[in-house]
Amino acid sequence: MPPARFLNWLNKSTGNNTREQTEFPYIMDKTALVICHVVPSLEAGGMERVVLDLLGHHSAAGDRGVLFCTDAKGEHFDDVDIPRFCADRGCPRFVVNWLVVAKLVEFIRRHSVDLIHAHNQVAHLYSVLASFATGKP
């Protein structure tokens, strides 16, 4: 089930709302989301830079980001000061390691995650399986 904050925004009529209320509903709502970013690792690269930037924007918006790496920690893993976990998948690219799925489900439940955000195909595969298990979008 989607977070209540999103449903409230979705159900609001936009007729009398200001631009900020319509385009930036998270500013008007004080309920913080917990967003789990799922990536293979935090090696130096474009996807990893996007994840680090998003994590910074979450805290600025009043939300909380958490990080789950499926494959390896990478060089930037220890640079972030948020809840994080590395599962060390250790199997071929598109073979499902069910232990990683179980660890991701446990991580999502432990941190009361509201939204799962995957950043590539492997992360998407594990995120979808964990989403089915937890009911989180």
Side-chain angles (χ1 to χ4, degrees):
M1 173 151 199
R5 178 173 111 172
F6 176 74
L7 293 176
N8 290 339
W9 173 75
L10 192 61
N11 292 329
K12 284 183 184 176
S13 70
T14 57
N16 296 325
N17 292 342
T18 65
R19 178 174 175 260
E20 288 78 18
Q21 290 170 319
T22 305
E23 295 179 26
F24 310 106
Y26 57 87
I27 294 173
M28 305 310 292
D29 192 346
K30 300 301 181 197
T31 307
L33 287 176
V34 179
I35 303 165
C36 179
H37 290 272
V38 182
V39 294
S41 70
L42 279 185
E43 296 292 341
M47 175 180 57
E48 293 78 7
R49 181 76 253 159
V50 169
V51 172
L52 294 173
D53 288 345
L54 283 172
L55 290 169
H57 290 297
H58 293 324
S59 60
D63 295 325
R64 191 167 66 94
V66 295
L67 177 69
F68 187 91
C69 294
T70 58
D71 293 359
K73 289 182 178 181
E75 65 186 72
H76 296 295
F77 187 79
D78 294 325
D79 295 344
V80 293
D81 188 28
I82 58 167
R84 61 197 183 279
F85 184 80
C86 182
D88 293 323
R89 184 168 58 104
C91 64
R93 189 154 174 85
F94 287 104
V95 175
V96 176
N97 182 338
W98 291 100
L99 185 58
V100 173
V101 176
K103 289 178 181 179
L104 179 54
V105 167
E106 178 188 344
F107 185 79
I108 289 168
R109 289 182 176 151
R110 183 177 345 120
H111 295 287
S112 302
V113 169
D114 296 310
L115 183 67
I116 306 167
H117 186 158
H119 289 273
N120 78 350
Q121 297 88 347
V122 173
H124 185 252
L125 174 67
Y126 287 101
S127 297
V128 167
L129 294 171
S131 177
F132 285 139
T134 61
K136 303 293 181 179

